[in-house]
């Protein structure tokens, strides 16, 4: 960004009409929204500071701040303290919420290079609290995996998996930085996940999640809990993953008697 009000004045796509019965902040937000959607404003591009827009277009600071707040609420821009306001990465379709597709396959299908950082990999015993959440048997030994999943080198979500060793002996010896848990369950053990029940909630991130997912303390996150079953209806996997709430949205198409759910990753 070049600085000064001249930078704001290069935004020729901004047209504000004071004769319209439409608030100026709404007009400004829509002009910027259209520029982002059309690609005129590119991902990671810095927007002019509030004062620059004020000088360039003769509006009040309140108008600019309200317009920026609307765009931030919709996940189109974000303000980084000490740096400025930037256009967010574009939204991309993610099939992981509607199809039982493993992470590596899902990311490659979207043209994104997948990656994993294994933060923890150990054998744990299911306690009463975990048993209540997951349906796994108390005292059962499981492989516990804690991984940071990456897309093009950027954090996508933080994942926790519990897999019973009695059903998958030796699975704890694999390298999950490059191997897919679901592919191993299917191809090596012949016991894939065929049914998944998921529950999704929102909350603010923990300090660890803020650091790993590059979130601020007040950026909400989605927490998805999943219980996977095999063809015999046995519980074979329990997982929890935490993703950025400012980059996720859900779209639901409803037909008579059916529900189609889609997950959009931003």
């Amino acid at each position: 960004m070049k600085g000064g009000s001249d930078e704001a004045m290069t935004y020729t796509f901004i047209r504000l009409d004071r004769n319209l019965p439409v608030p100026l902040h709404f007009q400004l937000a829509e002009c910027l929204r259209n520029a982002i959607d059309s690609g005129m404003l590119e991902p990671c591009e810095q927007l002019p500071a509030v004062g620059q827009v004020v000088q360039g277009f003769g509006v009040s600071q309140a108008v600019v701040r309200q317009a920026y707040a609307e765009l931030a609420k919709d996940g189109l821009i974000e303000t980084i303290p000490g740096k400025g306001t930037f256009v967010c990465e574009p939204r991309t379709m993610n099939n992981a919420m509607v199809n039982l597709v493993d992470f590596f396959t899902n990311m490659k299908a979207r043209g994104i290079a997948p990656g994993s950082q294994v933060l923890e990999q150990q054998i744990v015993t299911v306690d009463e609290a975990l048993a209540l959440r997951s349906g796994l048997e108390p005292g059962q030994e499981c492989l516990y995996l804690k991984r940071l999943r990456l897309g093009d080198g950027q954090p996508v979500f933080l994942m926790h998996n519990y897999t019973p060793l009695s059903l998958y002996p030796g699975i704890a010896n694999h390298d999950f930085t490059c191997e897919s848990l679901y592919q191993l369950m299917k191809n090596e053990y012949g016991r894939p996940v065929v049914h998944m029940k998921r529950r999704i909630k929102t909350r603010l991130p923990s300090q660890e999640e803020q650091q790993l997912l590059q979130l601020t303390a007040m950026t909400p996150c989605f927490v998805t809990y999943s219980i996977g079953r095999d063809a015999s209806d046995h519980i074979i996997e329990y997982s929890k993953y935490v993703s950025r709430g400012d980059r996720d949205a859900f779209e639901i198409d409803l037909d008579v008697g059916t529900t189609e759910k889609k997950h959009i990753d931003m």
Side-chain angles (χ1 to χ4, degrees), residues 59-112:
V59 294
S60 68
Q61 290 187 359
V63 165
V64 183
R65 288 186 178 130
Q66 194 167 354
Y68 278 14
E70 287 293 324
L71 297 174
K73 184 178 67 175
D74 292 340
L76 295 177
I77 65 174
E78 63 177 337
T79 299
I80 302 176
K83 295 185 177 180
T85 301
F86 299 84
V87 178
C88 292
E89 293 289 342
R91 306 178 182 187
T92 57
M93 183 63 70
N94 181 352
N95 293 323
M97 290 299 294
V98 293
N99 297 316
L100 295 180
V101 180
D102 67 272
F103 174 76
F104 284 92
T105 300
N106 181 42
M107 297 298 280
K108 288 177 181 177
R110 296 161 57 199
I112 300 174

Side-chain angles (χ1 to χ4, degrees), residues 99-145:
N99 297 316
L100 295 180
V101 180
D102 67 272
F103 174 76
F104 284 92
T105 300
N106 181 42
M107 297 298 280
K108 288 177 181 177
R110 296 161 57 199
I112 300 174
S116 279
Q117 292 180 9
V118 178
L119 306 178
E120 289 186 47
Q121 180 172 338
Q122 59 180 310
I123 296 173
V124 300
T125 301
V126 176
D127 59 20
E128 292 291 342
L130 178 58
L132 286 173
R133 293 196 303 270
S134 66
L136 295 167
E137 293 294 328
Q140 195 172 22
E141 287 194 330
C142 290
L143 166 65
Y144 168 62
L145 282 174

Side-chain angles (χ1 to χ4, degrees), residues 167-176 179-192:
L167 301 178
Y168 301 95
I171 199 169
N173 299 323
H174 287 268
D175 180 5
F176 290 99
E179 293 186 85
S180 164
L181 176 62
Y182 283 4
Q183 287 295 321
L184 281 172
M185 295 167 75
K186 176 182 178 181
N187 298 329
E188 183 164 324
Y189 294 91
R191 190 189 287 262

Side-chain angles (χ1 to χ4, degrees), residues 202-207 209-210 215-221 223 242:
T202 58
R203 62 165 168 77
L204 295 177
S206 66
Q207 288 189 349
E209 291 160 355
Q210 292 172 43
L215 296 168
T216 67
M218 297 306 295
T219 302
C221 56
V223 185
V242 183

